[in-house]
Amino acid sequence: MKTLKNLYEKVVSLDNLILAWRNARKGKTKKQYVIEFEKDLIKNLLKLQKELVDYTYYPKPLESFILRDPKTRKISKSDFRDRIVHHALVRNIEPIFDKGFIYDSCANRKGKGNLFALRRFSCFARKVSKNGRKKGLLNSNQVKGYCLKADIKHYFPEINHNILMNIISRKITDKRVLRLIKIILSNVEIGRGQNQFRIQDFAKGMPLGNLTSQFFANVYLNELDYFIKNRLRAKYYLRYVDDFVILHSSKSQLKIWKQDIDIFLKDKLKLELHPDKSRIIPLSRGVDFVGFRVFYYHKLLRKRNIKSIFYKIDKYNKGNVSKEKILETFQGWNSYAKWANTLKLRREVVKRIYSQDTQKSRQTLSL
């Protein structure tokens, strides 16, 4: 195995920390915590670097809040200086791991994402179903093709640190980098002061919201990816974080694979499939994946995504959200919604946004 020399030195170098700071502040330059950090930027970066070099760096306690968009989740936010460390680390170790990820691992990777996953799903569905029907048959009840739509139960809270560290140590041999990773993983409980921080053994769980959590989530389930692709020989497999699909013309084959996957997850990764969210679905019924309900010839947005944009519009009409913010939200949502058959829906969204404005203002939005 080819190892990288001086990896820790690259992570903690001032040049790398400056680049990491620039990445961490993107889209957040008006946040008060960013403004405070940048009042004495060089001093703060040098102090952070000294702590990393002297092995005296420990993260500050996480701040948690509940996010209900599009579903209820507990998000744990790291202090801004700790996010700089996360970016500094991932900038250097991501290239080492990413080249070993399968092509169809779609989340949190450059050039990938939910729209990439959506295109791949549609491509796989056409191949499995022979373009949506058996030869010579137009009845939708006779359409070929099934999808194992699976979800891992409580994925982020159940990630085993020891298993993750063993996976990481196959490629990273620098003990200083491994120590830093373990420090980041150990910062999972709320309310601990810096003086009380200690590296945990036999711990599990990663907070939603950290860049490192997103990256390590892919590292952890890369084991599952290789099992499904190399051991099971599943040709049409896609994963987006802990949500994955396998497409096949045989329902019985998918049943066998589902059992094999559940055994592998329990034995090797201490995880299990969600019993209610993991099932085999005929492709003709449509499959919920990456925010869309995908059918053979069209796509619909999931109901919770529609509810989410209308909820934000209601807040705007009540004066709780600025016009600048709702327009920014709409442009992002509209770019996403265009991938589904949503022209009427998008017109309705524009109508609601400008329900109290002039016709002239209404024309500033383009569908």
Side-chain angles (χ1 to χ4, degrees), residues 87-101 107-110 172 211 215 218-219:
H87 279 275
L89 174 67
V90 172
R91 283 193 75 255
N92 283 272
I93 68 172
E94 183 177 34
I96 300 172
F97 288 92
D98 189 78
K99 59 187 177 183
F101 292 160
N108 308 310
R109 297 179 65 196
K110 294 177 182 177
I172 303 293
L211 173 69
F215 172 68
N218 274 342
V219 172

Side-chain angles (χ1 to χ4, degrees), residues 94 97-118 120 124 155 214-226 229 235-245 289-290:
E94 183 177 34
F97 288 92
D98 189 78
K99 59 187 177 183
F101 292 160
I102 66 167
Y103 183 75
D104 289 312
S105 169
C106 306
N108 308 310
R109 297 179 65 196
K110 294 177 182 177
K112 304 293 174 74
N114 51 11
L115 297 182
F116 170 87
L118 187 65
R120 292 290 285 173
F124 289 172
Y155 176 50
Q214 298 169 12
F215 172 68
F216 292 140
N218 274 342
V219 172
Y220 203 76
L221 283 187
N222 190 49
E223 304 294 300
L224 174 66
D225 297 341
Y226 272 79
K229 295 294 289 185
K235 190 174 183 180
Y236 302 120
Y237 164 72
L238 279 168
R239 181 175 61 80
Y240 193 91
V241 193
D242 60 329
D243 192 7
F244 66 89
V245 294
F289 190 53
V290 294

